[in-house]
Amino acid sequence: AQSVTQLDSQVPVFEEAPVELRCNYSSSVSVYLFWYVQYPNQGLQLLLKYLSGSTLVKGINGFEAEFNKSQTSFHLRKPSVHISDTAEYFCAVSEATGGGADGLTFGKGTHLIIQP
Amino acid sequence: GAVVSQHPSWVICKSGTSVKIECRSLDFQATTMFWYRQFPKQSLMLMATSNEGSKATYEQGVEKDKFLINHASLTLSTLTVTSAHPEDSSFYICSARVDSARYGYTFGSGTRLTVV
């Protein structure tokens, strides 16, 4: 079984400032890692994913994340945020060996609030 | 590509009635679909895994007789909330795994269920 911890439930940031949303995971097997964004009353949109290879992953909307195996972390970053980035962000994991048979395990989410 | 369509987007029903939620993969075949439940300001909790042509696999604590899942074709999975009660009010989201976990998991837009 896996677990995901998002350390910050809410992160306020000024517009055009950089931001980092933290995510740590726990698993006894290799995992795939994902970051999703959710706007109010909507489903989830994939920002980026780590499957293997380069530990720095670039996603949509200028976001990137770095996989750190030794620290079991997958923090999400953006160098300059925009008002439109205000949303809920979820970190998630799935077993890499499960063939995709298992659903995702989500963190509790981080509400990113962009202040003008 | 890899679009999942979920209907209805919102529904209000009376206590004791049943509600069906549909999840369709529009441009791909989904042998496996997942159903999640999300309470306000909380994370997504996996309810069940829906497999085409076979019985769904429910997570611990989820009542299979209350949340009926049918996955009769490679493009359609349905979740029926039977004898709904106010405590079943929630945001339900379906997800499909595209080909393999390498593609991530595509999510529907969610269904807001309110039981009155």
Side-chain angles (χ1 to χ4, degrees):
Chain A
Q2 309 92 40
S3 66
V4 178
T5 302
Q6 290 182 246
L7 298 168
D8 305 301
S9 60
Q10 191 167 288
V11 173
V13 181
F14 285 107
E15 194 173 14
E16 297 184 4
V19 68
E20 179 179 82
L21 305 184
R22 296 180 293 172
C23 172
N24 288 86
Y25 69 93
S26 174
S27 177
S28 57
V29 299
S30 296
V31 295
Y32 296 141
L33 294 152
F34 306 84
W35 274 99
Y36 286 89
V37 60
Q38 183 181 36
Y39 299 100
N41 291 311
Q42 294 188 29
L44 276 69
Q45 180 182 11
L46 179 67
L47 282 176
L48 47 79
K49 60 183 181 288
Y50 172 79
L51 305 177
S52 64
S54 173
T55 57
L56 183 61
V57 180
K58 293 188 183 297
I60 63 172
N61 301 343
F63 284 95
E64 64 179 34
E66 185 155 20
F67 170 56
N68 188 318
K69 188 174 183 179
S70 62
Q71 297 186 8
T72 59
S73 68
F74 190 54
H75 301 331
L76 180 70
R77 295 190 290 262
K78 186 170 183 177
S80 176
V81 294
H82 189 267
I83 288 286
S84 59
D85 292 323
T86 297
E88 194 77 19
Y89 291 79
F90 291 98
C91 181
V93 301
S94 70
E95 279 192 20
T97 54
D102 301 320
L104 292 169
T105 300
F106 285 88
K108 291 184 180 298
T110 297
H111 189 196
L112 178 60
I113 302 169
I114 309 301
Q115 302 167 328
Chain B
V3 176
V4 170
S5 175
Q6 184 173 346
H7 292 281
S9 55
W10 61 269
V11 58
I12 302 173
C13 71
K14 290 184 177 181
S15 186
T17 62
S18 296
V19 173
K20 180 184 285 188
I21 303 170
E22 291 189 350
C23 183
R24 293 180 184 274
S25 56
L26 296 186
D27 49 2
F28 68 100
Q29 293 182 330
T31 54
T32 304
M33 289 187 174
F34 306 92
W35 288 95
Y36 296 84
R37 182 173 181 175
Q38 185 180 30
F39 290 103
K41 299 188 185 300
Q42 293 190 29
S43 188
L44 284 76
M45 299 299 296
L46 180 65
M47 297 174 65
T49 301
S50 169
N51 299 298
E52 187 268 336
S54 64
K55 291 183 178 181
T57 303
Y58 290 82
E59 295 300 302
Q60 191 172 12
V62 177
E63 300 176 59
K64 62 179 68 175
D65 293 332
K66 168 170 267 305
F67 299 101
L68 300 179
I69 291 173
N70 184 279
H71 195 157
S73 77
L74 287 171
T75 59
L76 174 64
S77 175
T78 60
L79 168 68
T80 301
V81 183
T82 63
S83 187
H85 291 282
E87 57 266 31
D88 298 323
S89 298
S90 191
F91 194 56
Y92 294 87
I93 307 177
C94 69
S95 172
R97 183 175 60 82
V98 185
D99 209 21
S100 74
R102 299 188 66 81
Y103 291 88
Y105 297 75
T106 300
F107 287 80
S109 56
T111 298
R112 172 74 60 193
L113 170 63
T114 302
V115 185
V116 298

